[in-house]
Amino acid sequence: MTPIQGFLKRRDLFRLIGISNIAIIITVVLIVAILSAEGLRIFIREGLSFISTSIWSGARERYGILFALGGTLITSVIAIVIALVIAIASSITIVEILPRRLKPLISSLVDLSASIPTVIYGLWGLFILAPLIANIAGNPLLSTIKSYLGSPGSLGTSLFAASILLSIMISPFATAIIREALYNVPKYVDEALYSLGLTRFEVAMLKIRYIRRAILVAAMIAYGRAVGETIAVSMVVGNVVNPEFWKILNPGYTIASLIADQYQNAESYYYMVPAIFGAALVLFAIGLSVNIAVIWISRGARYGG
């Protein structure tokens, strides 16, 4: 092969890489276009009541997803808060506390938990976690909170069970990002903090503050994982239209579980398919908004804003 032929082959390879990226962009644009075209039909029919009312009736052809929107936001927020606490504690333990020879083993075990199929998490959640939460909530000493937080379904299913399950599922992703950020804290920062006579706990807390941008990114990725999770959540959330979605011990719906549960019957009704696309469009808008917000906050942190 002559040098010119080699150059041409490398140039063809770069063209192929470029075409692949363009194909991804076109695919995303097409998905958004289809979501918008189908979803807007239900917004034209229902107006803003599609996101401000809690009704899902194929027989009456009336659709409002407030119950699923509220369930999605509540389960995601609870899951992210719990997952970040777990991820930060796990990262500090691995980076700052464990002996050097144990760090790779524990890190690998944490990373391995992210590869477990979601249906296995769902089974564990349905037969172990949900009944456990239902038993705790059923304690007579906690009877006074039922009027505020509701009661689990017959199998123990609830929005809170879905939140706990989601937090366990997304914490390995957040842990990996925070752990690597802690490893990448410059050595001179580490040495400077210890030279001030600070304790290991105080140093760890200051390093967490130092990597706050990475924690924001971890929260964003964890949110993306939580808000779109379908199978495992569908198995423990209860799949019930629950207008009082703020009562987290009640069963309910998330947008993802609503789509997964209702798409099989959708074609039997004239407006249910547009309603499902409309729900997916709302889910996409939430994810996009959170990503933009986190990028904006990250830039503010970078420039000291």
Side-chain angles (χ1 to χ4, degrees):
M1 178 186 303
T2 65
I4 293 178
Q5 288 175 322
F7 172 76
L8 288 175
K9 288 202 171 182
R10 285 195 294 273
R11 193 174 61 181
D12 291 341
L13 179 61
F14 279 115
R15 281 179 177 170
L16 184 62
I17 293 172
I19 290 172
S20 301
N21 284 298
I22 292 171
I24 292 172
I25 294 171
I26 291 173
T27 303
V28 172
V29 171
L30 286 174
I31 290 173
V32 174
I34 293 171
L35 276 180
S36 303
E38 289 288 337
L40 286 177
R41 289 176 57 198
I42 196 66
F43 279 98
I44 291 171
R45 182 174 189 269
E46 300 284 352
L48 288 179
S49 65
F50 182 62
I51 57 174
S52 63
T53 60
S54 293
I55 181 171
W56 190 269
S57 173
R60 295 164 55 194
E61 290 284 15
R62 293 295 310 278
Y63 303 98
I65 60 167
L66 181 60
F67 64 95
L69 178 60
T72 299
L73 296 177
I74 283 181
T75 53
S76 298
V77 169
I78 294 175
I80 289 171
V81 170
I82 296 173
L84 282 182
V85 171
I86 295 173
I88 292 172
S90 175
S91 301
I92 291 175
T93 302
I94 293 172
V95 177
E96 301 289 336
I97 299 176
L98 286 178
R100 186 182 298 272
R101 61 176 177 229
L102 282 180
K103 291 180 180 181
L105 173 64
I106 302 301
S107 297
S108 299
L109 290 176
V110 173
D111 294 343
L112 188 62
S113 62
S115 65
I116 297 174
T118 57
V119 69
I120 294 177
Y121 277 111
L123 283 173
W124 178 81
L126 182 61
F127 292 108
I128 305 296
L129 178 64
L132 177 64
I133 292 175
N135 285 336
I136 294 173
N139 190 308
L141 296 175
L142 301 177
S143 59
T144 55
I145 68 171
K146 288 184 177 179
S147 59
Y148 301 102
L149 300 180
S151 302
S154 57
L155 295 176
T157 53
S158 65
L159 290 166
F160 188 62
S163 303
I164 299 293
L165 186 65
L166 273 176
S167 70
I168 294 170
M169 293 174 64
I170 64 179
S171 60
F173 298 93
T175 301
I177 296 171
I178 297 172
R179 184 186 67 220
E180 293 307 311
L182 279 176
Y183 274 131
N184 288 322
V185 171
K187 194 70 177 175
Y188 65 84
V189 174
D190 225 17
E191 293 172 349
L193 291 175
Y194 280 110
S195 69
L196 294 174
L198 300 178
T199 64
R200 182 180 290 185
F201 176 78
E202 291 170 330
V203 170
M205 291 300 101
L206 288 173
K207 287 171 74 173
I208 288 296
R209 179 178 171 79
Y210 185 84
I211 63 164
R212 58 187 181 277
R213 280 187 61 210
I215 294 175
L216 277 174
V217 173
M220 179 182 69
I221 293 176
Y223 177 82
R225 184 79 168 83
V227 78
E229 176 52 44
T230 305
I231 299 299
V233 170
S234 296
M235 295 172 73
V236 299
V237 78
N239 298 323
V240 172
V241 176
N242 171 26
E244 296 181 320
F245 52 82
W246 55 89
K247 294 184 175 180
I248 58 176
L249 290 179
N250 279 341
Y253 262 123
T254 64
I255 293 179
S257 67
L258 175 70
I259 294 171
D261 189 49
Q262 295 292 319
Y263 81 93
Q264 299 177 60
N265 304 320
E267 292 189 352
S268 302
Y269 305 97
Y270 190 73
Y271 280 104
M272 189 176 285
V273 172
I276 287 177
F277 273 98
L281 186 63
V282 171
L283 192 63
F284 176 80
I286 293 172
L288 185 64
S289 301
V290 170
N291 276 276
I292 292 173
V294 171
I295 291 171
W296 182 75
I297 293 170
S298 300
R299 288 183 175 175
R302 184 195 309 175
Y303 297 114

